[in-house]
Amino acid sequence: MAQNSVQRDTITFTATISACAKDSEWGRALQLLKTMDQHRLASDAVTFSGAIAACEKSGEWKTALHVLSSMIQSKLEFDAVSCSAAISACEKGGAWDKGLQLLSAMQQRKLKLDVIAFNATVSACEKSGEWEKAFQLFTDMIQSKVRMDAVSFSALISASEKAGEWKKALQLLSSVAEECAGVSLPRPGAR
């Protein structure tokens, strides 16, 4: 009788690491990454991104940064996906400054900045009370031609509210209304 077996290769391990990420099983994802290394199987950017995503979903931001660092040490160039996942991990862990550093590293390496990376960084700043940084990121998004979404505006409005900057929140809400529906809301100070 022929025996069916699953071949241990990069694709199989990467798929399993991605499955671990979906279930927030960061410990198992890291163990699989280690097993790949022990069996001298090549890890690629997708493999590392899956492990970083597993850490992100579990709030393990320090571990996510460690995995990103290991990726770089393995002579793999980090990409927007792996970096965005690490920024999201920093956001969940309240490490807004690390998120900003990663976003800056993405800019320096001329990686394509996307709404996910910006939103995670804005949310990290918002949750940490760094509303001025959140608004600087808003400006950076515009300059980078990154289209904002509902998450972007929600984080910025929340940052405004937490800082007692209700006028900024109203201005943002007005911007959202104009962009989404062409509706004009009264501007702060207008009568």
Side-chain angles (χ1 to χ4, degrees):
M1 180 175 212
Q3 190 176 27
N4 289 337
S5 66
V6 176
Q7 184 176 350
R8 286 183 166 206
D9 61 12
T10 302
I11 295 169
T12 305
F13 272 91
T14 300
T16 308
I17 288 170
S18 293
C20 289
K22 289 180 179 143
D23 252 359
S24 303
E25 291 287 341
W26 67 275
R28 289 177 195 247
L30 295 183
Q31 185 58 48
L32 287 166
L33 199 58
K34 185 177 178 181
T35 301
M36 286 182 73
D37 188 47
Q38 291 168 344
H39 287 88
R40 300 190 196 291
L41 292 172
S43 301
D44 58 17
V46 177
T47 309
F48 277 96
S49 293
I52 293 168
C55 295
E56 176 258 326
K57 291 190 186 319
S58 302
E60 294 290 331
W61 68 271
K62 289 179 183 176
T63 307
L65 293 180
H66 178 74
V67 173
L68 184 64
S69 178
S70 296
M71 180 179 176
I72 295 166
Q73 289 172 0
S74 297
K75 306 287 189 251
L76 291 172
E77 193 66 31
F78 69 81
D79 59 5
V81 173
S82 57
C83 209
S84 292
I87 291 171
S88 291
C90 292
E91 178 252 328
K92 286 188 171 78
W96 64 272
D97 54 335
K98 300 293 184 190
L100 279 174
Q101 288 173 7
L102 286 171
L103 192 67
S104 177
M106 288 178 73
Q107 290 169 320
Q108 290 170 357
R109 292 178 183 239
K110 303 211 184 310
L111 294 177
K112 184 175 177 4
L113 298 173
D114 61 8
V115 71
I116 295 167
F118 272 111
N119 283 351
T121 312
V122 168
S123 290
C125 291
E126 175 263 324
K127 287 177 182 173
S128 300
E130 297 290 332
W131 68 273
E132 290 165 321
K133 300 274 189 212
F135 274 90
Q136 180 57 52
L137 288 166
F138 172 67
T139 302
D140 293 349
M141 285 178 85
I142 293 167
Q143 291 172 349
S144 298
K145 296 181 172 62
V146 173
R147 186 168 171 81
M148 295 179 71
D149 61 11
V151 174
S152 312
F153 284 108
S154 178
L156 286 166
I157 289 169
S158 180
S160 301
E161 182 267 328
K162 286 181 180 176
E165 295 286 333
W166 66 269
K167 288 181 182 178
K168 285 195 180 288
L170 190 55
Q171 287 171 339
L172 279 169
L173 185 58
S174 181
S175 296
V176 171
E178 288 173 11
E179 186 170 318
C180 295
V183 176
S184 291
L185 296 176
R187 298 273 182 202
R191 295 180 184 224

